[in-house]
Amino acid sequence: PLRRRTTPRAARPPRAKLLRLGAALGAKRLSPPEPGLEPPPVLLSLPERGPVQDPAGLPTPRRLAGLDAAENLNPAQLPRDRRRGPHWDDRDWHDGPARGLDRDGAWLWTYRDRGRVWALAGSPAAPLVRQGPAWWLRRDGMWFVVHDGQPWVWRHFADWGAQGLFQPGTGVKIVYSADFSRAAVITPGSGAQVFDADSGEFLGTIPQESLPPTRRPRAPASLPVPE
């Protein structure tokens, strides 16, 4: 049961930032990169290969931009550049397939390699790869979606019969409808807030007591006694 919004727009409850998948994916699931995918070796060396001074002769950034800077970058929108050799293009540094993007006094590095776009961001420096409408980060052999400046797990929720995001540190879930038109932001103990997954419009709430029960593994009723 969805309780429709009856409060004025200015009184909307706070919400987690949505990863808006509806327009980008249609009725498809977001799929992580293949497990064995490795970043190009040159990616980690890009900060040392960059220029020391900017076009005005001032020192260039020494620190890397955060994961949120990469999240806000759509590499498909970067303009093409056919000029050869390392050079400045306004505030961006171009060096073949590599680019150093100035993001509020920090470097966001990108690198094109065999049809894929990689990025280097975060502290410590983390290789990211673009797949679908999202950036992905690998930790401990698992791929995480970069969302709201943090790594989230993309997984199937058996209790909802749907796909979505899970943040291990907080237990917050973002569960999408089958057609990816709606998203429920579920905070443990606080119920869910439902939004239009494309526009982000707040649609209503689901009380905690009306949420599907979480399916947990059950121990067998009895165990065989070893001989």
Side-chain angles (χ1 to χ4, degrees), residues 78 135 144 167 188:
L78 291 175
W135 290 96
F144 292 80
Q167 190 176 50

Side-chain angles (χ1 to χ4, degrees), residues 119-191:
L120 189 66
S123 180
L128 312 174
V129 65
R130 185 77 172 189
Q131 178 148 311
W135 290 96
W136 296 78
L137 163 69
R138 190 168 66 180
R139 288 183 178 173
D140 300 325
M142 178 183 295
W143 287 104
F144 292 80
V145 180
V146 177
H147 169 61
D148 208 10
Q150 299 291 330
W152 293 61
V153 179
W154 180 263
R155 54 169 288 189
H156 175 77
F157 297 102
D159 44 339
W160 287 82
Q163 305 286 328
L165 294 169
F166 174 72
Q167 190 176 50
T170 64
V172 174
K173 305 174 185 176
I174 302 178
V175 182
Y176 295 89
S177 60
D179 61 358
F180 290 94
S181 64
R182 291 187 178 190
V185 179
I186 306 165
T187 303
S190 300

Side-chain angles (χ1 to χ4, degrees), residues 4-163:
R4 297 290 178 180
R5 173 173 55 84
T6 58
T7 54
R9 287 186 180 275
R12 289 179 182 176
R15 66 178 187 267
K17 180 181 176 183
L18 293 176
L19 180 61
R20 299 179 185 176
L21 300 179
L25 291 183
K28 300 177 183 178
R29 68 185 296 269
L30 194 63
S31 58
E34 53 269 28
L37 182 65
E38 296 290 342
V42 69
L43 184 67
L44 293 176
S45 69
L46 291 180
E48 287 72 33
R49 294 177 49 179
V52 178
Q53 294 181 329
D54 66 13
L58 299 175
T60 53
R62 295 292 92 189
R63 63 185 179 91
L64 287 177
L67 296 179
D68 54 339
E71 181 184 353
N72 294 326
L73 174 68
N74 182 352
Q77 296 176 350
L78 291 175
R80 295 286 183 179
D81 185 1
R82 300 183 182 278
R83 285 181 288 172
R84 296 180 179 275
H87 62 275
W88 285 100
D89 186 357
D90 193 16
R91 297 288 300 174
D92 295 343
W93 174 254
H94 293 200
D95 186 0
R99 292 194 184 194
L101 311 178
D102 188 339
R103 294 295 184 264
D104 297 324
W107 276 122
L108 172 61
W109 288 97
T110 68
Y111 190 84
R112 293 186 178 272
D113 179 63
R114 292 177 289 184
R116 289 189 178 271
V117 180
W118 294 81
L120 189 66
S123 180
L128 312 174
V129 65
R130 185 77 172 189
Q131 178 148 311
W135 290 96
W136 296 78
L137 163 69
R138 190 168 66 180
R139 288 183 178 173
D140 300 325
M142 178 183 295
W143 287 104
F144 292 80
V145 180
V146 177
H147 169 61
D148 208 10
Q150 299 291 330
W152 293 61
V153 179
W154 180 263
R155 54 169 288 189
H156 175 77
F157 297 102
D159 44 339
W160 287 82
Q163 305 286 328

Side-chain angles (χ1 to χ4, degrees), residues 194-207:
V194 181
F195 304 92
D196 183 290
D198 187 23
S199 68
E201 179 185 1
F202 174 63
L203 300 176
T205 62
I206 302 176

